[in-house]
Amino acid sequence: MELKILELEDRYIRFEIKGITPAIANALRRTLINDIPKLAIHKVIFHHGQIRDMEGHVYDSSTPLFDEIIAHRLGLIPLPTDLNMKFRDECDHPPDEGCPLCTVTYTLNKHGPATVYSGDLIPVGDEKFKPVDPLIPIVKLKENQAILLEAEAILGTGKQHAKWQVTSGVAYKYHREIKVKKKESELWEKVKEACPKNVLYEDDEEIVFTDDTNCKALAEILSFENPEIVEDDSWFIFQFETDGSLSAKDTLGYALKRLKERFSHLRESASLS
Amino acid sequence: MMIPVRCFSCGRVIASDYIAFVNRINLIRETENREPTPEEIKKIFDEIGVKRYCCRRMILSHVDLMEDVMPFD
């Protein structure tokens, strides 16, 4: 089994894996989607009644959206995660309490007229837990409205709730070789010029392309002409992006480790019986 | 009422891109007094970085009723 990274950015990765079965590829895809832990707001305590600010001006704690809708939106905001943290129920204290190893607390205090953004969420404690994207609108407030709340964020996985899903757009495809006979095609020169890196092999009679990297010109050949396509079902090209809570590289590292743990667990359990 | 935080299908955060999209659309409406063409909309999405069509439909087909609802307490 061989893994090679084709393209890597902080939140996006494209890589190829050779020498695995489609079942393993799917297992990796599913692990990437729903088995990677990340932090998300899970409990929100709203202040009701009057809210006073520093100058003594009194605001009303009503909002145009219901409290539970605001809590739902808060839960979906991506928060930077430290994978060394523990799950709430694996921590050494009763699950009702939190501690810096399993919980991060945030406060939100803003008065209208204004739009409340994710950047207004302030982590109590370390600055590094500030929301990844400060421009997510949460709710809009009128002249005399204010919002005051405290939120707790804990680790969870996508299996439990979509707010804990780290990745989006996880996809894989087979490595393909598209064989075009030069005399039967009018488009092969256009493709060779537009995407020179997609050419695998060329001789006088035929040219072989791959679509491991996307190439628009190649899509034309595939729709209008009839080339021979050979797919390798043990060579996969994966790609995914993350929401910023974890880097793409850390996510892949964790997914591979997690798959290995689960397969070992399965092997041990099966051999005992 | 407000733009959903994430795309329903893939989970990508789209709420922050919505504001950029609306600003660009209004720019075309105000400077050229017409609705943007489909080609212009596609170009705006490409430039903002919203790739998949599941995310595009979230932004394109959203009706923002927040301003209409706010006056009613």
Side-chain angles (χ1 to χ4, degrees), chain B residues 54-71:
Chain B
C54 59
C55 308
R56 290 186 175 190
R57 56 95 199 223
M58 294 298 305
I59 294 180
L60 187 57
S61 60
H62 178 251
V63 181
D64 197 18
L65 297 169
M66 193 59 161
E67 295 293 329
D68 302 313
V69 167
M70 263 174 45

Side-chain angles (χ1 to χ4, degrees), chain A residues 12 38 62 64-65 73 76 78 117 133 135-140 142 145 163 165 167-169 241 243, chain B residues 1-6 10-13 15-17 19 42 51-52 64 66-67 69-73:
Chain A
Y12 171 79
K38 76 165 236 193
S62 64
L65 293 177
R73 291 178 73 90
L76 292 172
Y117 289 101
D133 188 346
L135 289 174
I136 300 175
I138 300 173
V139 65
K140 288 190 184 170
K142 262 169 39 175
Q145 289 175 330
K163 68 189 179 191
Q165 181 182 318
T167 55
S168 61
E241 59 173 321
D243 60 1
Chain B
M1 279 199 274
M2 282 213 84
I3 182 82
V5 176
R6 294 185 182 234
C10 68
R12 180 184 185 278
V13 172
S16 39
D17 297 322
I19 299 178
K42 175 182 184 301
K51 286 195 305 189
R52 295 179 287 276
D64 197 18
M66 193 59 161
E67 295 293 329
V69 167
M70 263 174 45
F72 304 99
D73 247 337

Side-chain angles (χ1 to χ4, degrees), chain A residues 21-39:
Chain A
T21 62
I24 308 278
N26 192 36
L28 178 59
R29 181 191 70 94
R30 294 185 59 159
T31 306
L32 283 166
I33 291 176
N34 64 23
D35 221 355
I36 316 274
K38 76 165 236 193
L39 270 180

Side-chain angles (χ1 to χ4, degrees), chain A residues 13 19 141 184 250:
Chain A
I13 186 171
L141 296 171
E184 288 170 18
D250 289 343

Side-chain angles (χ1 to χ4, degrees), chain A residues 194-209:
Chain A
C195 325
K197 293 198 179 141
N198 287 46
V199 179
L200 281 179
Y201 169 75
E202 184 178 4
D203 66 22
D204 292 333
E205 290 184 352
E206 75 168 4
I207 181 167
V208 181
F209 296 109

